[in-house]
Amino acid sequence: MLWACLYFPELPLDAARPQECARDTAAALIDGPLRNPRVVQVNRAARAAGIRSGQSLAAARALQADLPAWRRDGEAERHLLTALADTAYRFSNEVSLAPPRALLVEVGASLTLFGGWVALERRLREDFDGWALDYRLVAAPVAAGARVLAASQDGIALMSKPQLINALSDIFVSNCGLGNKTSSSLASMGLYKLGQLFALPRAELSRRIGPAALLHLDRMRGLVPEALAAYQPATRYQRRIEFDYRIDRIEALLFPLQRMLRDLGRFLVARDGGVQSFDLVLEHEQQATTRITVGLLEAQRDVAILLELARTRLERIALVAPVQALDVIAENLPTLRPLHEDLFATASPGTMEWPVLIERLRARLGDEAIFRSVEVADHRPGRAWRTCPIGRDSVRQAPSSPDPSSSRRDASLTCNGVQACPPRPSWLLRRAIPLRPAPSNILAGPERIESGWWDGDDQRHDYYVVQTREGQRAWAYVASGETGNWMLQGWFA
């Protein structure tokens, strides 16, 4: 086995940091009593200013008056570590959380797939660099040993246990996870590195540090097996952000929404799936929540498309009250079926895909404003088609290109004076209307349509292709046997 350990030294601080605060700004994480909080973690810039963990917040701000400090948020830490695990799940189905700062990924079975450790390490770093977090990455045949190495080193890969034990021998006892009390006790005995501990008799070492600490030393060398809890991605996505101030404009919601949908996109990539619909829940103070459902005809995981559809639907509503929290909930997470492209595609690079266009129109105009027409088995033109909602099957294929022969059917097709195909217009009116003034020229016809005697809507009309006085081609009819009172049924392109 080969375990990759991803160690995030500033994860608690990164989880509490607001999105608008730059990472290179000196900052501190605090905990403890409200009146006298203590600094529990600082970043590199704060350490350069002389601020250290264990100081009171007042002492830290004496060194830097404008030092931003946030209280530790255990829930945010768990969520961030879980989101990072979703990214790691793309490379192996054996992922284990090592809170509060580390992930363990069994990559031995993935080496052949990705072309060896060098290629796999490059892919891992490409994905985790996108998080803009400080991290260290090491690989070792023992999970506990990899976790200890990652706490102080980066970029090493050890393929055998002897190599691991040699590398661990140079690690300081204070950095191996034994605890401050045990580390201080060993330091007072002159034992500073793990190699010194490995050389001691087990019985004497156990008597001095206890069986629990000895078990930890055995696990990091692989002498004792360790049972790790396997991580499984969630079957639904839910993220909530509570604002420090009330938001009364839709535009102000777009920045946190973009962050949440980016997180959703990573979650979907880890699942190798897409989202069919998701809900935006706006929580108001002393008001009922506002729920906006963003339904998609095709499963998607493109963050830009999800954000555009969500923003467009948000812009169509009016806030009933200021927003104090925003939730994104996604439960309909089907398998992603990407659209297949033709090998010799003729569409220009800037052409929008048909499903994406429909989604944008639905989001901007409303679901009920977009529909498709289907044929109905009825000879009466007004009843030969109907509208129905657009479903998933209707957007899998783009509209076909016009048949070149259709233009020939629009005119009067005759062969030896006999019409070969009855002409039909490309625009058929739902209900016929009077055509005034009367057409100037008859191009084709008549075609008699007589039907409907069984349902009370008996029709007996003679249809013609006519030309209006403005030069337009129309499909019009008169009652059978008459020559006046023209009714317009449709227009030819």
Side-chain angles (χ1 to χ4, degrees), residues 1 16 23 38 79 117 124-125 157 177 200 202 253 258 260 265 299 306 316 384 390 413-414 424 428 443 457 462 471:
M1 302 183 76
R23 297 196 73 256
R38 313 292 295 184
H79 176 81
W117 168 249
L124 281 166
R125 291 190 182 276
L200 294 176
R202 289 180 58 83
L253 293 172
Q258 181 180 11
M260 299 167 80
L306 298 180
R316 297 181 64 236
I390 293 181
L413 274 179
T414 59
R424 289 294 182 267
L428 192 65
L443 303 178
D457 188 18
D462 290 338

Side-chain angles (χ1 to χ4, degrees), residues 106-126:
E106 204 293 303
V107 296
S110 304
L111 291 180
T112 303
L113 175 64
F114 288 94
W117 168 249
V118 175
L120 178 56
E121 181 187 13
R122 183 173 62 252
R123 290 284 302 273
L124 281 166
R125 291 190 182 276
E126 287 175 357

Side-chain angles (χ1 to χ4, degrees), residues 40-51:
V40 295
Q41 188 176 22
V42 295
N43 61 0
R44 191 175 305 159
R47 284 193 296 271
I51 302 170

Side-chain angles (χ1 to χ4, degrees), residues 94-110:
E94 292 189 47
V95 178
S96 180
L97 305 183
R101 295 180 175 87
L103 289 174
L104 292 165
V105 188
E106 204 293 303
V107 296
S110 304

Side-chain angles (χ1 to χ4, degrees), residues 160-410:
S160 65
K161 287 186 180 181
Q163 290 178 323
L164 172 62
I165 294 174
N166 288 336
L168 289 173
S169 298
D170 292 330
I171 300 295
F172 284 97
V173 173
S174 57
N175 293 333
C176 73
L178 281 178
N180 294 332
K181 184 177 179 180
T182 303
S183 298
S184 299
S185 176
L186 291 171
S188 66
M189 303 175 199
L191 303 172
Y192 299 102
K193 291 191 175 182
L194 288 177
Q196 296 173 293
L197 299 185
F198 296 159
L200 294 176
R202 289 180 58 83
E204 284 298 317
L205 184 60
S206 177
R207 186 173 64 83
R208 293 176 181 273
I209 66 175
L214 183 62
L215 179 63
H216 179 67
L217 294 175
D218 289 343
R219 281 176 173 169
M220 73 175 65
R221 289 179 290 175
L223 301 179
V224 176
E226 181 180 10
L228 298 174
Y231 170 76
Q232 291 291 332
T235 57
R236 67 191 298 268
Y237 175 88
Q238 183 170 5
R239 179 79 188 277
R240 181 177 186 272
I241 291 184
E242 186 171 350
F243 306 116
D244 296 331
Y245 49 89
R246 302 298 177 257
I247 294 179
D248 56 3
R249 295 182 301 108
I250 292 295
E251 294 78 9
L253 293 172
L254 298 181
F255 186 77
L257 178 61
Q258 181 180 11
R259 178 182 179 184
M260 299 167 80
L261 292 181
R262 189 183 301 117
D263 190 19
L264 172 60
R266 294 192 183 103
F267 173 79
L268 296 173
V269 169
R271 287 176 50 90
D272 195 23
V275 60
Q276 189 75 49
S277 67
F278 59 95
D279 292 335
L280 309 178
V281 182
L282 312 181
E283 299 182 19
H284 312 286
E285 190 174 10
Q286 298 179 349
Q287 291 280 349
T289 60
T290 301
R291 180 178 289 265
I292 303 168
T293 299
V294 182
L296 296 93
L297 297 174
E298 281 292 310
Q300 285 280 359
R301 69 177 178 210
D302 189 313
V303 176
I305 294 177
L306 298 180
L307 178 62
E308 180 178 356
L309 298 178
R311 185 196 69 225
T312 305
R313 290 185 182 269
L314 276 173
E315 291 173 347
R316 297 181 64 236
I317 69 166
L319 293 178
V320 297
V323 180
Q324 65 178 6
L326 173 63
D327 298 68
V328 174
I329 303 172
E331 296 180 338
N332 191 358
L333 307 174
T335 302
L336 185 65
R337 294 191 302 158
L339 289 171
H340 297 288
E341 298 182 357
D342 293 336
L343 179 61
F344 303 102
T346 57
S348 63
T351 302
M352 188 181 302
E353 291 184 350
W354 180 241
V356 177
L357 174 61
I358 294 179
E359 295 288 7
R360 289 182 175 181
L361 291 174
R362 278 161 43 96
R364 183 167 298 277
L365 304 177
D367 295 339
E368 67 284 350
I370 309 299
F371 55 86
R372 65 190 181 101
S373 60
V374 296
E375 295 180 350
V376 178
D378 198 312
H379 291 287
R380 292 166 292 185
R383 298 195 178 194
W385 63 284
R386 61 181 174 85
T387 61
C388 65
I390 293 181
R392 297 187 62 185
D393 294 339
S394 60
V395 298
R396 292 303 298 179
Q397 300 291 336
S400 56
S401 301
D403 184 0
S405 63
S406 61
S407 59
R408 294 192 298 268
R409 290 195 300 266
D410 286 349

